[in-house]
Amino acid sequence: MLSRLLREALWAPAAIALAAFVLGRIPGVDVWWFMHLAGGAAVAFCYLRLIALAGRRFGTMHAGVRYVLAFALACSTALAWELTEFALDETLGSALQEGLLDTMSDLMLSVCGAAAYLAWQALSESKAQAAR
């Protein structure tokens, strides 16, 4: 089950984290806004796939519930990420957060990325069902 989870769901957030790590090392490249947007989408994708995988074992749930749950989990993950940055800044004296505007824009972009991906996925799924 873990290897399937890694193969089908966790690759997306891992790819975004790797891209952020690599791009963060290139001088003059400032794509943090895109990394947060893509990160929100990747985490939402991961949770939606996780829910689908769990549904095979525990039973399926209504599509609306799946999307709301994936969105809520993606928002919670974005919040946990920012709280972790805050905790590291306070305990280690680092400067991961550059202020309130930085933190709030990071949260907003992550939430927007999750919402955009889930909306696109829901529309794609409904079009596929209508075509059948």
Side-chain angles (χ1 to χ4, degrees):
M1 174 76 174
L2 181 60
S3 66
R4 187 171 190 176
L5 178 63
L6 288 168
R7 186 177 64 246
E8 293 187 26
L10 290 174
W11 66 268
I16 296 300
L18 179 63
F21 179 77
V22 170
L23 292 173
R25 303 292 180 253
I26 301 173
V29 175
D30 186 20
V31 293
W32 290 112
W33 65 271
F34 180 73
M35 290 291 103
H36 284 293
L37 194 66
V43 169
F45 166 82
C46 180
Y47 283 125
L48 198 59
R49 289 299 305 143
L50 179 62
I51 292 166
L53 290 171
R56 294 177 183 155
R57 177 173 284 198
F58 301 113
T60 59
M61 53 178 90
H62 187 271
V65 174
R66 283 183 297 158
Y67 286 104
V68 169
L69 181 59
F71 182 72
L73 290 169
C75 290
S76 297
T77 301
L79 180 60
W81 185 275
E82 293 301 321
L83 289 172
T84 301
E85 283 185 357
F86 175 76
L88 289 172
D89 283 353
E90 291 299 311
T91 58
L92 302 177
S94 60
L96 296 171
Q97 294 181 324
E98 299 170 2
L100 182 60
L101 181 63
D102 172 66
T103 302
M104 295 310 291
S105 62
D106 290 352
L107 284 170
M108 177 195 65
L109 288 166
S110 296
V111 168
C112 288
Y117 168 74
L118 292 169
W120 173 77
Q121 183 62 31
L123 289 172
S124 298
E125 187 176 306
S126 67
K127 284 182 183 179
Q129 287 179 351
R132 290 183 214 162

